[in-house]
């Protein structure tokens, strides 16, 4: 097997420009690697024939951008024309979309090649990818552990070195948490930075698509291609295009960082806290000011998320009725039997649980008592976080409270999946950008992630700090990519 995919994107770009390699060679290597790693269950659907055909069509074209001819994996809740999109659910296991999501149009416009659709929690509801109808993806560092969720398959395939790029989505940590568990870089951009058109909705006020890669620079490159106003998504931003790599390499001296005391409390494993403190010591040596402080409402984030996300999910998933597309109950007695039977057969237990709770939360006076009140407290949380950014450039902390746990651990505690995301949910509540970068390994050789939270639309500065940390720790070479941890 060739080893081109272990090279950087910049190196691959130069080789493609000089015609020393072809897009087809990269695509063939991708599928060889995926076959070698099939036990990790990172993909739901592969698109080999079309990917090879697309690669061949690019061979006589001019290499017009740095992403040209490079393979990419797409999370299976992002709509892809003529390519099965299941959301890891039985109810959509035969669904072939007739259009592309806006982000898919953008990656195709850059002549990137879609390899396939990655595994995930069903309808992105979960934090371990174990709710997938197709079985869970496995962690590349230890096959018996979770890869995280809900973008578990995307994190797994990047960590394995199968592809240089993957798309994930993040509603309450679903890019950053699996990125931490699998030792890769994952960015949840500012809400509205990337169009959500064609992202199958979980919780519309929280969902955001983002890039997952093996290092910081390449993450910024992919974000460059994904952003922009989209008239088909009224929540998308009017912000002008920018180059998110432009600050990488510049000095970080004089930056100001806040560490919430809650993020370093007893809810976090001691070994993770120690690794974060090591990183903080590194930053202080560069004349970066670091303060520990209390930030209001952080301890309420999980409760708010449960109310808002489940309420919005129950509304969004009402469209899956067995009539227009997807799975349908055979030979129903009447319309009620069709609806009931389709959803009973098609949805998994976790999705049904969230729909039922969400429907209760939105019914009658409950909407005022729970959902509207949660929205009000959410606004207070956002204001509290934005107040911190009046004085500080970033908020830092660990991404997860523990390293990846065992696949066989019980799923009977429904609150467990929310507590897995307790440190990352506040970012979605406030619509802020959040970035995971790996900062080392635990004593049992599992990745530990640092969570960088930035001001709205300040992703370029986040990449500046993240790239500095990555370079100082030399993790680009020593922690991610390749097959050495098979």
């Amino acid at each position: 097997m060739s080893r081109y995919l272990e090279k950087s994107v910049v190196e691959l770009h130069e080789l493609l420009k000089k015609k020393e390699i072809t897009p087809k060679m990269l695509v063939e290597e991708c599928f060889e690697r995926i076959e070698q790693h099939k036990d990790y269950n990172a993909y739901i659907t592969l698109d080999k024939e079309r990917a090879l055909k697309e690669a061949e069509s690019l061979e006589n074209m001019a290499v017009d951008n740095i992403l040209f001819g490079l393979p990419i994996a797409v999370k299976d809740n992002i709509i892809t024309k003529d390519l099965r999109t299941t959301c890891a659910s039985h109810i959509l296991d035969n669904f072939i979309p007739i259009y592309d999501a806006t982000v898919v149009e953008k990656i195709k416009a850059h002549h990137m090649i879609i390899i396939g659709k990655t595994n995930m929690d069903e309808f992105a509801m979960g934090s371990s990818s174990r709710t997938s109808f197709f079985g869970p993806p496995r962690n590349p560092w230890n096959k018996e552990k979770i890869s995280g969720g809900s973008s578990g398959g995307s994190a797994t395939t990047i960590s394995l070195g199968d592809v240089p790029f993957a798309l994930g989505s993040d509603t309450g940590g679903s890019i950053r948490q699996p990125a931490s568990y699998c030792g890769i870089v994952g960015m949840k951009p500012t809400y509205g930075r990337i169009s959500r058109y064609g992202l199958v909705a979980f919780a519309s006020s929280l969902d955001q698509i983002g890039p997952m890669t093996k290092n910081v620079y390449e993450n910024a490159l992919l974000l460059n291609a994904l952003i922009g106003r989209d008239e088909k998504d009224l929540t998308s931003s009017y912000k002008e295009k920018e180059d998110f790599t432009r600050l990488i390499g510049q000095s970080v001296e004089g930056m100001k960082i806040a560490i919430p005391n809650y993020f370093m409390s007893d809810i976090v494993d001691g070994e993770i806290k120690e690794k974060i403190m090591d990183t903080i010591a590194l930053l202080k040596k560069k004349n970066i000011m670091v303060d520990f402080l209390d930030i209001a409402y952080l301890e309420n984030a999980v409760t708010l998320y449960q109310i808002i996300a489940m309420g919005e999910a129950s509304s969004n998933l009402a469209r899956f009725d067995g009539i227009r597309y997807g799975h349908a109950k055979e030979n129903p007695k009447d319309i009620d039997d069709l609806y009931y039977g389709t959803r009973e057969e098609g949805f998994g237990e976790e999705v049904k649980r969230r729909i039922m709770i969400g429907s209760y939360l939105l019914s009658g006076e409950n909407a005022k008592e729970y959902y509207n009140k949660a929205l009000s407290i959410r606004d207070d949380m956002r204001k509290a976080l934005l107040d911190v950014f009046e004085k500080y450039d970033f908020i830092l902390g660990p991404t997860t409270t523990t390293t990846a746990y065992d696949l066989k651990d019980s799923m009977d505690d429904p609150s467990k999946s929310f507590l897995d995301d307790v440190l990352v949910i506040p970012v979605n509540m406030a619509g802020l950008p959040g970035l995971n970068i790996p900062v080392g390994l635990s004593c049992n050789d599992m990745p530990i992630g640092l969570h960088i939270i930035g001001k709205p639309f300040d992703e370029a500065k986040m990449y500046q700090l993240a790239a500095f940390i990555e370079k100082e720790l030399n993790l680009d070479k020593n922690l991610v990519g390749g097959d050495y941890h098979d």
Side-chain angles (χ1 to χ4, degrees), residues 63-113:
V63 179
D64 60 359
N65 73 90
I66 195 167
L67 302 177
F68 181 97
L70 298 181
I72 185 169
V74 177
K75 187 177 178 180
D76 204 28
N77 61 344
I78 298 171
I79 294 292
T80 44
K81 184 179 179 181
D82 298 328
L83 178 59
R84 186 171 73 141
T85 300
T86 73
C87 295
S89 179
H90 179 38
I91 207 165
L92 286 177
D93 64 6
N94 63 354
F95 175 52
I96 310 294
I98 59 173
Y99 69 97
D100 279 326
T102 296
V103 289
V104 174
E105 291 179 346
K106 287 178 179 290
I107 62 179
K108 287 182 176 179
H110 284 77
H111 298 297
M112 302 183 80
I113 302 167

Side-chain angles (χ1 to χ4, degrees), residues 147-281:
S147 60
S150 60
S151 307
S154 290
T156 293
T157 197
I158 291 291
S159 183
L160 287 168
D162 296 334
V163 288
F165 298 108
L167 294 183
S169 69
D170 193 310
T171 305
S174 290
I175 287 173
R176 293 156 290 150
Q177 185 249 47
S180 178
Y181 284 161
C182 292
I184 67 165
V185 178
M187 166 68 89
K188 196 292 287 188
T190 309
Y191 185 79
R193 176 69 94 170
I194 296 174
S195 171
R196 292 184 298 109
Y197 180 76
L199 172 67
V200 179
F202 166 11
S204 302
S205 72
L206 304 172
D207 299 339
Q208 186 65 172
I209 296 168
M212 303 176 77
T213 58
K214 64 183 178 182
N215 62 48
V216 173
Y217 181 76
E218 292 171 8
N219 199 276
L221 283 178
L222 183 53
L223 186 59
N224 284 347
L226 301 177
I227 64 168
R229 172 67 182 173
D230 180 12
E231 295 302 327
K232 291 177 283 191
D233 174 11
L234 297 181
T235 66
S236 72
S237 165
Y238 284 93
K239 286 280 185 182
E240 292 182 6
K241 285 267 190 177
E242 60 180 289
D243 178 10
F244 295 106
T245 70
R246 69 185 187 276
L247 300 180
I248 291 176
Q250 293 188 17
S251 172
V252 297
E253 289 198 25
M255 287 183 174
K256 298 178 180 178
I257 290 172
I259 312 286
N261 289 317
Y262 182 69
F263 286 1
M264 297 293 281
S265 64
D266 290 342
I267 63 173
V268 180
D269 179 82
E271 198 174 10
I272 292 177
K273 284 194 283 189
E274 184 179 339
K275 195 66 68 175
I276 301 303
M277 290 305 295
D278 289 345
T279 307
I280 291 169

Side-chain angles (χ1 to χ4, degrees), residues 8-180:
S8 72
V9 164
V10 172
E11 290 171 318
L12 292 176
H13 177 61
E14 289 302 314
L15 291 171
L16 286 166
K17 276 205 305 185
K18 294 174 182 176
K19 305 292 185 182
E20 293 181 16
I21 63 171
T22 65
K24 185 178 180 182
M25 293 165 66
L26 296 179
V27 170
E28 287 174 338
E29 183 181 335
C30 275
F31 284 107
E32 287 176 18
R33 286 174 174 266
I34 291 167
E35 176 63 24
Q36 180 183 344
H37 298 142
K38 62 185 178 183
D39 290 349
Y40 290 93
N41 200 30
Y43 290 85
I44 291 173
T45 304
L46 292 170
D47 199 24
K48 185 174 183 178
E49 184 177 340
R50 185 166 15 202
L52 288 169
K53 187 176 179 181
E54 175 67 19
E56 288 174 357
S57 74
L58 298 178
E59 289 186 7
N60 295 320
M61 293 178 58
V63 179
D64 60 359
N65 73 90
I66 195 167
L67 302 177
F68 181 97
L70 298 181
I72 185 169
V74 177
K75 187 177 178 180
D76 204 28
N77 61 344
I78 298 171
I79 294 292
T80 44
K81 184 179 179 181
D82 298 328
L83 178 59
R84 186 171 73 141
T85 300
T86 73
C87 295
S89 179
H90 179 38
I91 207 165
L92 286 177
D93 64 6
N94 63 354
F95 175 52
I96 310 294
I98 59 173
Y99 69 97
D100 279 326
T102 296
V103 289
V104 174
E105 291 179 346
K106 287 178 179 290
I107 62 179
K108 287 182 176 179
H110 284 77
H111 298 297
M112 302 183 80
I113 302 167
I114 295 173
I115 297 299
K117 309 297 290 292
T118 56
N119 205 350
M120 56 181 283
D121 279 299
E122 184 182 8
F123 284 102
M125 296 184 190
S127 59
S128 66
S129 295
R130 290 184 294 172
T131 66
S132 172
F133 177 70
F134 302 93
R138 294 174 176 270
N139 194 302
W141 296 82
N142 183 331
K143 277 186 182 178
E144 303 310 312
K145 294 188 180 292
I146 65 166
S147 60
S150 60
S151 307
S154 290
T156 293
T157 197
I158 291 291
S159 183
L160 287 168
D162 296 334
V163 288
F165 298 108
L167 294 183
S169 69
D170 193 310
T171 305
S174 290
I175 287 173
R176 293 156 290 150
Q177 185 249 47
S180 178

Side-chain angles (χ1 to χ4, degrees), residues 304-362:
L304 297 177
Y305 177 81
Q306 288 177 308
I307 294 170
I308 295 169
M310 286 195 278
E312 294 182 8
S314 71
S315 175
N316 280 324
L317 269 63
R319 70 191 70 178
F320 301 105
D321 52 17
I323 295 176
R324 288 159 291 185
Y325 49 78
H327 174 78
K329 179 180 179 179
E330 293 185 6
N331 304 315
K333 294 180 294 185
D334 51 34
I335 190 69
D336 288 339
D337 189 40
L338 172 63
Y339 283 175
Y340 180 85
T342 294
R343 292 172 179 174
E344 173 64 25
E345 295 168 4
F347 288 135
E349 293 303 311
E350 180 64 16
V351 171
K352 285 187 277 195
R353 187 183 69 82
R354 295 194 190 197
I355 289 173
M356 287 190 290
I357 295 173
S359 298
Y360 172 79
L361 292 169
L362 295 182

